[in-house]
Amino acid sequence: MTDEVLGVDIGSVIISKTWNHGFLPPLENAFSVLKRLKNERFKGNVFIVSQQQPSMSTVVLLWLWYHNFYKATGIKTNDIHFCRRRIDKAGICKKLGITHFIDDRSEVLAYLHDVQIKNLYLFEPKGNYVETELNRHILPFVKQIVSWKEIEKELLG
């Protein structure tokens, strides 16, 4: 059996989409669960794969640094991969050998399903009803989850 490898999106999966006193906080339990997943299930094989325009990549990296993401999760800066288009996540994931992926966009999960990634998790699916309806064909192949505690239960038991 090959090693399991986890890929995770950033926006609305790790970084909250809800403003709190002028900034976007991390989602509850995201850092602690990522650390457990990295150490216990995926044996260090955890990557961040995010669609960001070049101007926003630096902002995201600064956000991660500011919130002590690297220390809190054990994920290294070299394990963070950015691409310009959502469809490009599929190629990155294939290259990295991703076996499990968590994203808030059903569109992205459809691209990943097309490249044979079997363990797909749609995070907080209630957030984008129109997109989810457009990608309804992918729903039988994904597990819909609503929190990091649910991810923890699903992937760590």
Side-chain angles (χ1 to χ4, degrees):
M1 179 177 162
T2 60
D3 289 336
E4 293 183 311
V5 182
L6 177 64
V8 183
D9 181 37
I10 293 178
S12 300
V13 176
I14 295 173
I15 300 174
S16 174
K17 56 185 153 196
T18 306
W19 283 83
N20 184 6
H21 302 292
F23 69 99
L24 297 171
L27 282 169
E28 186 176 5
N29 301 308
F31 291 7
S32 61
V33 173
L34 276 169
K35 182 175 185 169
R36 285 196 65 210
L37 290 169
K38 182 179 184 295
N39 294 333
E40 297 173 30
R41 168 90 186 247
F42 294 95
K43 310 299 183 210
N45 295 315
V46 175
F47 297 93
I48 304 301
V49 181
S50 180
Q51 181 262 323
Q52 300 289 334
Q53 295 307 313
S55 60
M56 285 304 295
S57 298
T58 302
V59 172
V60 170
L61 291 171
L62 286 171
W63 185 95
L64 293 170
W65 172 81
Y66 177 81
H67 289 280
N68 294 312
F69 173 82
Y70 307 109
K71 185 176 182 181
T73 64
I75 296 171
K76 298 175 178 57
T77 55
N78 290 345
D79 297 333
I80 298 176
H81 301 268
F82 294 116
C83 58
R84 289 187 181 205
R85 300 174 308 154
R86 290 184 190 115
I87 194 170
D88 296 335
K89 287 185 181 186
I92 293 170
C93 289
K94 192 167 176 97
K95 179 181 174 187
L96 294 171
I98 301 287
T99 59
H100 297 68
F101 200 86
I102 303 167
D103 206 295
D104 66 314
R105 306 296 298 248
S106 57
E107 173 190 356
V108 169
L109 297 179
Y111 298 138
L112 298 180
H113 179 72
D114 288 347
V115 295
Q116 305 300 310
I117 296 173
K118 301 290 186 200
N119 303 288
L120 302 171
Y121 303 90
L122 181 59
F123 193 84
E124 293 189 328
K126 66 186 180 307
N128 196 335
Y129 178 78
V130 172
E131 179 187 327
T132 301
E133 284 300 307
L134 289 172
N135 293 290
R136 180 167 283 294
H137 67 283
I138 193 65
L139 296 181
F141 305 102
V142 304
K143 172 86 174 167
Q144 297 184 43
I145 50 177
V146 297
S147 70
W148 277 96
K149 281 297 186 184
E150 191 175 344
I151 292 170
E152 182 176 46
K153 184 178 178 183
E154 178 71 24
L155 294 176
L156 293 172

